[in-house]
Amino acid sequence: MPPATAPDMRSQMRQNDHSSDASARRKSPGQQSPAQAEGIASGEMTTVSLKVNGTEHTVTLDNRTTLLDALREKLQLTGPKKGCDHGQCGACTVSVNGKRINSCLSLAVMHEDDEVTTIEGIGTADDLDPMQQAFIDHDGFQCGYCTPGQICSAKAVLEEIRAGSPSHVTEDLTARIEVTEAEIRERMSGNICRCGAYANILAAITEVAEERA
Amino acid sequence: MRPFTYERALDPVSAAARAAEVPGARFIAGGTNLIDLMKLEIETPDHLIDVNGTGLDEITVTEDGGLRIGALVSNTDLADHDVVRRDYPVLTRALVAGASGQLRNKATTGGNLLQRTRCPYFYDTAQPCNKRAQGSGCAALSPGAHSRQLGIIGVSDACIAQHPSDMAVALRVLDAVVETMTPAGDIRLIPLKDFHCLPGSTPEKESVLMDGEIITAVYLPPPVGGKQAYHKVRDRASYAFALVSVALIRHPDGSGRVALGGVAPKPWAMDEADAELPNGAKAVMAKLLEGARPTEENAFKIRLAERTLAAMLAGE
């Protein structure tokens, strides 16, 4: 029996042909595509304009394209990583209109006029963001695969605390929220690091928080 | 993922009308659950109606002093809202106990109510599941199945899946009402307690929404006061679904309300159980979980629910 946790189960499922349940799906087989029938959209492709790291892009995409795949495959921004592709690992974390999201669980066509910031928009090798420098200084990674998502999330976490947004470990919902280890750990729980660099990630984020205070 | 066509709706009236008119249409808002299931081809819509532009993203105080929460208000924004934090803290507590920061930024109030179960057999398309493929059977009830996470009450021989939402448990204890728009353009008000269906022999039907009907808002009655708390017991300290969760509102005279999550196909509450609150956790759970039919693997949830409530009552 497969476990409820995802990765193993999901790799198994991809190998299935899904034919056993196809007949049970709620749709009429062989129907004309609604777009052709209604003349509403241009079939299964849609053109979308969005601003990524300050640059406007207009791309025509298969509707199925996730924001993550659009960034990586269409715009060659390979900073956001594909880990689980199901919103569980956080490697794909980017900022959209100032809020961190899992770009793998969002369709690119739903981001018309949105402003997206990826790790490439946060800093460069010659001009590192303080959070990037802190991850280096504290050895906040080993393989580095989860790091772009960790850094995008970490920057957002400090913003969220500063804005007074409560978390599961916030004791008083109406008081000012302090930056504590417990707050950072809880808020970073959507970013998994398989190398287990958590202690150093925590140290990096704490340092940036203290520098700012 | 199967191919689909896509359109953006500008208001709820046209969204509902289009959804009823286009075969195989589904609404999409945050998409955090639907896109996940589409990747696995458990959900296979032919057409998506993006409702993010319908303007349902406001939280307003109602004339009677309650709150109207637009269906598109994100879990983050709802948890952050000053009035919710002050007057409905059980709701903020439940929201921040769920998912991750990234997911709460996208997940919406309406979508959270409609999220599908996390039963591992619903997710595994190689397994029988009456909810996913009607009449194929329930793998969760087969010998040796992993049912630790699944429901213990309100379940049936066809399905023991649990509803995964934390938010809905708090809304249940707050006596929330769901506002919808039908394809004919009529507004319906559905008490949350009547919104979700029990599986019976039709586990694929999870709510009383009709085809094309869209959730437009959730109403909270005027604040009831009392001490409010939400305790969630799970296998990890963060970012995991509940084994058991308890939403509690308790007044100084000992009266109050209780709702349970993680144990049933819907948030689980009962007036008769609330009436037992002055008599303690054991008395409440004896009523609330009367007739429970757990599996061997999840029978622990009965004592866990009782002890969770006992801890909350003792911790005041």
Side-chain angles (χ1 to χ4, degrees), chain A residues 13 25 86-87 109 170 189, chain B residues 8 36 44 93 123 238-239:
Chain A
M13 278 189 293
R25 291 205 178 87
H86 285 277
V109 296
T170 304
S189 71
Chain B
R8 299 182 185 113
D36 187 24
T44 55
R93 290 292 181 198
Y123 267 82
S238 182
Y239 200 16

Side-chain angles (χ1 to χ4, degrees), chain B residues 90-176:
Chain B
V90 66
L91 180 53
T92 290
R93 290 292 181 198
L95 284 160
V96 297
S100 66
Q102 291 97 315
L103 290 169
R104 290 193 297 270
N105 280 342
K106 284 302 284 181
T108 63
T109 306
N112 187 305
L113 290 177
L114 294 176
Q115 67 181 303
R116 316 280 322 260
T117 185
R118 263 64 177 189
C119 175
Y121 303 100
F122 174 71
Y123 267 82
D124 184 348
T125 53
Q127 301 278 346
C129 169
N130 289 319
K131 188 186 278 298
R132 171 169 37 75
Q134 285 117 292
S136 62
C138 174
L141 283 170
S142 63
H146 292 302
S147 55
R148 172 178 167 77
Q149 201 77 28
L150 304 180
I152 58 170
I153 193 158
V155 295
S156 72
D157 290 337
C159 181
I160 61 167
Q162 87 289 25
H163 196 269
S165 172
D166 292 294
M167 181 195 82
V169 183
L171 292 180
R172 177 69 181 85
V173 90
L174 290 166
D175 237 348

Side-chain angles (χ1 to χ4, degrees), chain A residues 76-89:
Chain A
Q76 281 71 53
L77 292 167
T78 53
K81 294 293 185 280
K82 185 178 284 196
C84 70
D85 209 24
H86 285 277
Q88 301 180 353
C89 76

